[in-house]
Amino acid sequence: MHVHETYDYAVIRVVPRVEREEFVNVGVILSCERARFLEARIEVDPVRLRALDPAIDLALVGRHLAAIPAICRGGEAAAPIGLLPPRARFHWLTARRSAIIQTSPVHMGRCGGDLAATLEHLMERMVRVPKPASPA
């Protein structure tokens, strides 16, 4: 029998100048409570970020973004938030903020059970720049 999983996800955004509300999608957080799955993937495109703010501190942004997968993994290294249950960590990560690192609203989906493949699919669809079609 094919197992279907229901999951929640949010897109991670970098908003270089919060007052302008322009952003670049840089990652995805995916949570499946039943499977106890909480994972984030992040891929930063410095060229796209610098297009919005040429003076952006990419090292600082990178340090802030690195905290997200650490919080997803949990444990003392991400304390005190890392000590919360996975679902509570997901809600903390996706809470609305007016900061340089934000998330989209939470969306729900269903997949055939391979949550890692679903996360990769969401990265391809929501974060990575589509490759141009080759001429016929």
Side-chain angles (χ1 to χ4, degrees), residues 2-131:
H2 205 66
V3 176
H4 288 280
E5 295 290 358
T6 300
Y7 62 87
D8 294 318
Y9 76 94
V11 179
I12 303 164
R13 302 168 169 169
V14 175
V15 187
R17 296 172 57 196
V18 176
E19 70 278 7
R20 291 180 60 118
E21 298 184 4
E22 300 168 328
F23 60 87
V24 174
N25 292 344
V26 297
V28 176
I29 306 167
L30 190 140
S31 171
C32 177
E33 188 171 22
R34 195 184 79 67
R36 297 192 50 81
F37 183 94
L38 178 59
E39 191 173 321
R41 292 212 185 127
I42 296 172
E43 294 177 11
V44 176
D45 184 339
V47 173
R48 292 176 71 204
L49 287 176
R50 284 201 171 107
L52 296 181
D53 184 358
I56 191 167
D57 185 341
L58 292 173
L60 178 64
V61 168
R63 287 193 300 274
H64 286 290
L65 289 172
I68 295 171
I71 291 168
C72 287
R73 286 189 297 274
E76 291 184 18
I81 296 154
L83 300 176
L84 296 172
R87 195 66 182 165
R89 293 195 311 267
F90 176 74
H91 288 297
W92 187 89
L93 286 167
T94 59
R96 288 194 43 89
R97 295 176 171 81
S98 178
I100 192 168
I101 308 297
Q102 299 181 13
T103 60
S104 71
V106 174
H107 303 282
M108 185 173 31
R110 283 179 51 107
C111 70
D114 189 343
L115 294 163
T118 300
L119 182 54
E120 179 62 22
H121 170 75
L122 290 169
M123 286 292 293
E124 192 65 35
R125 183 177 171 106
M126 306 301 248
V127 176
R128 298 178 184 132
V129 177
K131 295 172 180 51

